[in-house]
Amino acid sequence: MIEALRGLGYTTASALADIIDNSIAARASRVDINFVWQGEERRIEIQDNGIGMDATGLDKAMRLGELNPLDDREESDLGRFGMGLKTASFSQCRSLTVATTQNNQFNCLRWDLDVLVESSGDGWFMLEGPSDTGLPLVEPVKNIDHGTLVLWEKLDRILTDGFTEDNFMELMDQVERHLAMVFHRYLEDKSQRFEIYINGCRVKPWDPFMTGHPAKSWNSPLASQATQGGTVGVECHVLPHKDRLTDKEFESAGGPDGWTAQQGFYVYRNRRLLLAGSWLGLGRGRSWTKEEAHRLARIRLDIPNTVDSDWKIDIRKATARPPVNMRKWLMRLAEDTRARARKTFASRGRPARTGNGQTVVQAWRADQTAGGVRYRVDDAHPAVRAVLDDAGSLLPQIKAMLRILEETIPVQRIWLDTAENKETPRTCFDGEAPSEVVEVLSVMYQNLTSKKRFSAEEAKRKLLQTEPFHDYPQLVASLK
């Protein structure tokens, strides 16, 4: 049975997150994780300063399926099946030692899968005390007032053929990114101190929603819906476009798996992240897939631990699926967020209106027809209008040229470049020297003042209402 449970699909990071759940339940304020690459004694240690366990509590903690998932639990409880400590540990190692002290009373138990294999009969032989290699690591636990040490040895699921010390270091980085995301609300909470350290370095929280960032496009008020099991809360966010972030901010906000993979719902139970970046099987006709156009959409979803069964939470706390009676409500919220995110992505985060609330005149418009969307040059744009008004006998040729440009937009090439490069192509004079912008601006400005008879002030105001010059107010102001 235990050998079968090892294949549940934990990663090292998700397994360690399950161990930390127990530390939080034990009211720990600090968890230390140490990755040790020391000759043949390679191991992972997880120690907390929680309340610890007495002999009875440790015995229950080491049993498989000790808890009934149907029983009522405390509101803050992060577990459900009573399996996390064992299944998470066995997924990574063959030897699990737990040493704990409560009220100065020390207890230590150990599972060793090799001992079970070699034992005759079908007994479940749990061992008292640590292994020979674990003995010096467990001794310090005897000298503390309270706390627990979880020791993983015989890391057969980690130290596979070809695994090197460099791989061990990379694994530490992966674990750090995962824990920074899963427990970010605990790590951010100033009212209740909680810290995680990996090999002595503090794990800094990673907030998927960039809370408080001044360039954020939008976030919704908290929406909630009452269910028989408790209240479910939803908060929708649209993150800033890359153009509104520094390189460091953009790289950080991409998260452990990158911008496209991190879009969607973030499902929390008691502030602990269960599922990061998923559309939860929602969609009309078929489930939504993760697309570049919606990569700025992230939705926080909070559920109580009383609805685990309704949401089909699994042992690994890695999957969730909303009940049928909530899907329509969640889909409506998600559709609105996806539409806003798509608009922000397409406009590169630039406002469609000026600071005075006036609509920016754009050079292109999207016409929705029965056959689909067609992109047209907007002849109301001042630059286009000026050429058409002065065209004279060349007007048919200029209109023909514009039509050819409209009909030959390299849509497929733009789509491929965007998908492959993970960003929108450069537009709006992005990366160009100010002198080149001024050169085009000057032509527009002279046309408005000389031919259209606008005053200097009126001409500048009109330019500030025109794409792409609304992004260059200082250059517009400098025109003479």
Side-chain angles (χ1 to χ4, degrees):
M1 177 180 174
I2 291 180
E3 292 292 347
L5 289 175
R6 303 190 78 199
L8 280 175
Y10 281 96
T11 64
T12 303
S14 62
L16 286 168
D18 254 20
I19 306 301
I20 294 174
D21 286 345
N22 295 328
S23 298
I24 292 174
R27 301 197 290 276
S29 62
R30 173 168 175 152
V31 177
D32 283 273
I33 302 172
N34 290 314
F35 288 75
V36 181
W37 185 276
Q38 192 176 74
E40 295 302 315
E41 298 179 20
R42 297 160 191 173
R43 62 185 183 271
I44 297 177
E45 309 162 4
I46 310 101
Q47 184 162 0
D48 68 46
N49 63 352
I51 60 175
M53 291 174 279
D54 59 17
T56 302
L58 177 59
D59 183 73
K60 287 183 176 181
M62 293 294 271
R63 291 175 180 268
L64 282 90
E66 174 64 26
L67 300 178
N68 185 343
L70 300 179
D71 289 345
D72 292 335
R73 291 169 289 156
E74 292 185 14
E75 187 176 338
S76 59
D77 190 359
L78 296 177
R80 180 187 177 198
F81 297 95
M83 302 278 279
L85 170 64
K86 286 75 65 176
T87 54
S89 299
F90 294 150
S91 74
Q92 307 298 308
C93 68
R94 296 190 68 80
S95 177
L96 163 65
T97 304
V98 179
T100 185
T101 297
Q102 186 179 81
N103 299 326
N104 297 314
Q105 295 297 311
F106 171 81
N107 292 281
C108 180
L109 293 175
R110 173 166 54 100
W111 280 111
D112 191 319
L113 302 192
D114 291 337
V115 171
L116 288 183
V117 169
E118 295 166 2
S119 301
S120 59
D122 59 357
W124 291 69
F125 299 105
M126 188 158 56
L127 308 173
E128 291 189 354
S131 64
D132 291 340
T133 55
L135 182 59
L137 307 172
V138 165
E139 283 297 314
V141 182
K142 296 179 180 179
N143 301 320
I144 60 177
D145 295 333
H146 52 83
T148 300
L149 169 69
V150 175
L151 178 61
W152 291 353
E153 298 177 287
K154 301 181 183 179
L155 307 173
D156 65 320
R157 288 295 180 95
I158 297 176
L159 305 180
T160 53
D161 289 343
F163 197 89
T164 66
E165 187 173 4
D166 287 342
N167 298 135
F168 210 48
M169 299 301 107
E170 290 174 8
L171 181 62
M172 287 172 55
D173 291 338
Q174 293 170 13
V175 168
E176 179 180 5
R177 290 194 294 270
H178 184 76
L179 299 183
M181 174 176 67
V182 169
F183 297 104
H184 77 92
R185 290 169 74 177
Y186 286 90
L187 298 171
E188 293 164 345
D189 191 348
K190 299 294 190 294
S191 64
Q192 188 174 1
R193 183 182 176 187
F194 180 73
E195 297 175 320
I196 301 172
Y197 287 81
I198 298 179
N199 283 33
C201 295
R202 186 170 66 87
V203 175
K204 297 179 181 178
W206 180 74
D207 176 10
F209 313 109
M210 300 186 72
T211 305
H213 195 286
K216 272 188 71 174
S217 300
W218 172 81
N219 65 269
S220 73
L222 182 65
S224 61
Q225 183 161 312
T227 69
Q228 286 186 339
T231 300
V232 173
V234 176
E235 190 175 77
C236 306
H237 297 259
V238 175
L239 271 56
H241 189 278
K242 179 181 180 180
D243 290 359
R244 295 294 184 254
L245 303 173
T246 65
D247 290 342
K248 185 176 180 180
E249 287 174 333
F250 179 76
E251 182 180 358
S252 173
D257 298 318
W259 277 90
T260 302
Q262 297 284 178
Q263 68 182 267
F265 284 93
Y266 285 68
V267 182
Y268 295 82
R269 186 183 63 185
N270 297 338
R271 299 190 298 152
R272 195 267 204 206
L273 182 62
L274 301 182
L275 186 62
S278 169
W279 290 116
L280 302 178
L282 299 175
R284 298 189 185 278
R286 63 182 179 87
S287 299
W288 291 324
T289 57
K290 293 182 178 181
E291 301 165 340
E292 284 294 304
H294 304 116
R295 72 182 192 180
L296 303 180
R298 295 180 185 174
I299 303 174
R300 196 184 90 185
L301 194 158
D302 284 283
I303 64 173
N305 64 9
T306 48
V307 298
D308 283 0
S309 179
D310 296 338
W311 283 75
K312 300 178 177 62
I313 306 299
D314 68 351
I315 290 177
R316 294 179 299 123
K317 307 185 186 85
T319 62
R321 196 165 183 86
V324 173
N325 62 353
M326 300 202 70
R327 293 175 68 85
K328 187 179 293 186
W329 176 60
L330 292 175
M331 195 179 302
R332 187 174 68 252
L333 294 172
E335 283 177 333
D336 180 52
T337 306
R338 283 163 59 90
R340 291 173 184 270
R342 188 178 189 278
K343 186 174 181 180
T344 299
F345 183 76
S347 66
R348 305 175 71 94
R350 293 177 171 86
R353 294 181 179 274
T354 67
N356 297 325
Q358 295 171 307
T359 302
V360 174
V361 179
Q362 298 179 314
W364 289 87
R365 70 175 190 268
D367 291 343
Q368 187 74 45
T369 67
V373 178
R374 302 190 73 89
Y375 296 96
R376 302 295 193 193
V377 175
D378 193 337
D379 57 15
H381 190 281
V384 180
R385 189 74 261 160
V387 172
L388 295 178
D389 288 346
D390 293 344
S393 62
L394 292 177
L395 182 61
Q397 291 174 265
I398 292 174
K399 285 189 172 182
M401 179 191 69
L402 293 177
R403 184 62 186 269
I404 290 172
L405 291 176
E406 291 173 342
E407 298 300 331
T408 58
I409 300 171
V411 174
Q412 295 291 345
R413 178 62 185 271
I414 293 171
W415 181 84
L416 282 172
D417 288 343
T418 301
E420 292 172 356
N421 299 328
K422 306 299 182 186
E423 61 179 69
T424 49
R426 304 287 90 185
T427 58
C428 296
F429 293 109
D430 189 50
E432 298 290 336
S435 58
E436 296 190 31
V437 183
V438 170
E439 184 178 345
V440 180
L441 262 174
S442 297
V443 173
M444 295 281 298
Y445 183 60
Q446 292 301 323
N447 178 270
L448 290 172
T449 55
S450 301
K451 295 186 177 181
K452 302 296 183 183
R453 301 300 180 185
F454 283 96
S455 68
E457 184 178 343
E458 290 172 329
K460 291 180 181 180
R461 185 164 55 248
K462 193 165 185 65
L463 288 172
L464 288 173
Q465 297 169 12
T466 305
E467 184 187 41
F469 306 118
H470 66 292
D471 279 333
Y472 300 92
Q474 291 181 328
L475 295 182
V476 172
S478 68
L479 291 170
K480 299 186 185 302

